[in-house]
Amino acid sequence: MLAYIFGVVLFALGICVSVALHEAGHMVTAKAFGMKVRRYFIGFGPKVFSFRRGETEYGLKWIPLGGFCDIAGMTALDEVTPDEAPRAMWRFKTWKRTVVLAAGSVTHFILGFVVLYLMAVTMGLPNATGKPQISTVSECVRNAQTDEEFAHPNCQPGDPAPAKQGGLLPGDVVRAVNGKSTPTYIDVTAAIQQLSGPATFEVERDGRTVPLTIDVVQVDRPVQDAQGTEKIVKVGSLGVTFANNFTYNPVTGFAGAGSFTADMFVQTWGRLLEFPERIPAVVHSIFGGERDPNTPVSVVGASRIGGEAVEQGLWPLFLLLLASLNFFVGVFNLLPLLPLDGGHIAVTWYERVRDWVRKLAGKAAGGPVDYTKLSAITMVLVFIGGAVTLLTVTADIVNPIRLQ
């Protein structure tokens, strides 16, 4: 129980650090461009303490669920004092305002990358894409009554060793079986299980393609059917295991973490696109339905999963969850919707494009966008965001996703 509580608190602390760095990204870039930053606070609600350094007040508030960076004149509607007016944010060039607005999300991306890099050079990164890279080549294949016997056969003289005899080596990446592309190790396994006798393989080895012919052997193996009943079936077998984790040194870790970051961006975008269609399942779970593990979770749910991961000693999962959350928040925050930073960036570039068109037409530049005309849309989006947050928090309390 103590480990679980420690994990929850640690994950929540990681979120707080992420929020603090997000707002710091806005603050540092704004100050670098000469904008006036009035306040930088972590949390909301009543003030715990604050202090002033130069023209900026720094502080902490009691509710650690966010933070803010108060930049003078973020929009033309913001009230500014006469001495602040020349340094109001809306007066600065479009690209500078864009950098400041995007800095929060970029900070999340950097933090996610750092977490992945540290994982890469210490505990390694999981084979998230299912890359069909061979980890070990067995001395033989044998009939098995259990998964343990199948994975670790007790080899006897004369037992067949298809992979070893066929020339497969650890580190090889299986690109095709009998001429059919195999992008993942699941594809390789599915293809092999249907084979018996000689089969052609194309493997990538040290950057070159190596053709091999391997005599696939049919052996007994335990499997479970759709009802969960275990039975013994004949399947084709090579006698290999595929990498489920990749380790790196401090140099190659940059490439490994970079590649993994790209994969997580793709997955994050996919989750965002699926987000609306998964909301009904969240509502269903609140009223007693089974909770789909693929439904969205709130910060509460993520912290609970983080606590369970620590309790079960699954530190890689804990860190992956923290990195994933940073990528999700970073991408979500750049959506062109107010009041998100992406919405402010969209307005900023609308002004730039509008003024460019007006200039082509021989007209003077238009004034700053009137945010009051966007307030209705903003309030609708805030209401929807609040409702989704309330739903996910409720689901994570009454019917949380749990690690099996």
Side-chain angles (χ1 to χ4, degrees):
M1 187 63 179
L2 287 178
Y4 171 76
I5 295 174
F6 173 73
V8 171
V9 172
L10 186 61
F11 195 86
L13 180 61
I15 295 174
C16 290
V17 171
S18 297
V19 171
L21 292 177
H22 173 109
E23 298 303 329
H26 292 313
M27 179 184 66
V28 170
T29 50
K31 284 179 172 289
F33 290 135
M35 303 174 190
K36 180 174 180 179
V37 179
R38 297 164 174 156
R39 294 179 297 164
Y40 170 77
F41 270 77
I42 302 302
F44 294 108
K47 184 183 354 180
V48 179
F49 70 87
S50 69
F51 60 91
R52 181 172 293 276
R53 289 289 183 274
E55 63 186 10
T56 304
E57 181 185 9
Y58 302 85
L60 176 68
K61 299 201 171 188
W62 277 110
I63 305 174
L65 296 178
F68 63 91
C69 174
D70 179 14
I71 304 173
M74 186 173 178
T75 74
L77 295 179
D78 294 346
E79 293 186 7
V80 295
T81 62
D83 65 301
E84 291 174 338
R87 299 169 60 197
M89 181 176 176
W90 68 269
R91 294 181 179 276
F92 284 72
K93 292 183 180 296
T94 300
W95 72 268
K96 291 184 178 181
R97 291 157 65 191
T98 301
V99 169
V100 173
L101 290 167
S105 286
V106 172
T107 303
H108 283 297
F109 301 150
I110 293 173
L111 183 57
F113 176 84
V114 169
V115 171
L116 294 179
Y117 174 78
L118 293 176
M119 287 183 64
V121 299
T122 55
M123 61 187 69
L125 293 171
N127 187 3
T129 60
K131 183 179 181 180
Q133 181 172 326
I134 293 173
S135 176
T136 62
V137 176
S138 178
E139 293 294 323
C140 74
V141 296
R142 288 174 58 87
N143 293 328
Q145 299 297 310
T146 66
D147 286 331
E148 177 65 21
E149 288 180 359
F150 184 82
H152 305 286
N154 183 16
C155 296
Q156 302 296 325
D159 285 340
K164 185 175 181 180
Q165 294 166 352
L168 279 173
L169 300 175
D172 286 350
V173 179
V174 181
R175 294 303 185 190
V177 178
N178 276 345
K180 184 178 180 180
S181 176
T182 52
T184 70
Y185 61 77
I186 294 177
D187 297 315
V188 178
T189 301
I192 292 171
Q193 288 179 348
Q194 306 301 317
L195 298 176
S196 178
T200 60
F201 288 74
E202 288 183 8
V203 302
E204 180 182 324
R205 181 182 298 165
D206 298 328
R208 57 192 177 91
T209 300
V210 178
L212 299 172
T213 299
I214 303 175
D215 193 5
V216 181
V217 176
Q218 286 273 321
V219 297
D220 292 339
R221 180 183 184 181
V223 298
Q224 286 189 343
D225 58 22
Q227 287 71 42
T229 303
E230 190 171 276
K231 58 182 180 180
I232 304 297
V233 298
K234 284 284 188 182
V235 297
S237 178
L238 287 182
V240 298
T241 62
F242 291 95
N244 56 22
N245 195 67
F246 297 120
T247 56
Y248 304 85
N249 62 42
V251 176
T252 60
F254 286 102
S259 176
F260 203 92
T261 295
D263 292 335
M264 293 195 78
F265 270 120
V266 173
Q267 295 172 19
T268 298
W269 182 246
R271 288 198 298 271
L272 277 173
L273 294 179
E274 296 171 355
F275 194 92
E277 66 187 55
R278 296 193 183 277
I279 294 301
V282 176
V283 176
H284 178 66
S285 70
I286 292 175
F287 295 97
E290 184 178 353
R291 183 72 184 271
D292 183 347
N294 293 315
T295 52
V297 297
S298 66
V299 171
V300 173
S303 297
R304 292 186 68 155
I305 296 173
E308 290 186 20
V310 171
E311 186 177 37
Q312 298 178 31
L314 303 175
W315 285 101
L317 176 60
F318 178 91
L319 293 172
L320 280 176
L321 186 62
L322 186 60
S324 178
L325 182 65
N326 273 282
F327 288 127
F328 182 85
V329 172
V331 172
F332 181 80
N333 193 54
L334 289 179
L335 294 178
L337 304 170
L338 290 171
L340 303 176
D341 290 337
H344 290 288
I345 292 173
V347 170
T348 297
W349 280 94
Y350 163 77
E351 292 175 346
R352 177 65 182 271
V353 173
R354 178 204 60 190
D355 291 347
W356 177 73
V357 172
R358 290 177 65 89
K359 182 177 180 180
L360 291 179
K363 299 179 181 180
V369 165
D370 185 354
Y371 272 76
T372 59
K373 295 180 179 179
L374 301 174
S375 60
I377 297 176
T378 302
M379 290 307 297
V380 169
L381 294 174
V382 168
F383 175 79
I384 294 174
V388 170
T389 300
L390 180 61
L391 282 174
T392 53
V393 169
T394 302
D396 290 333
I397 293 174
V398 304
N399 194 356
I401 296 172
R402 299 186 183 279
L403 299 181
Q404 299 299 323

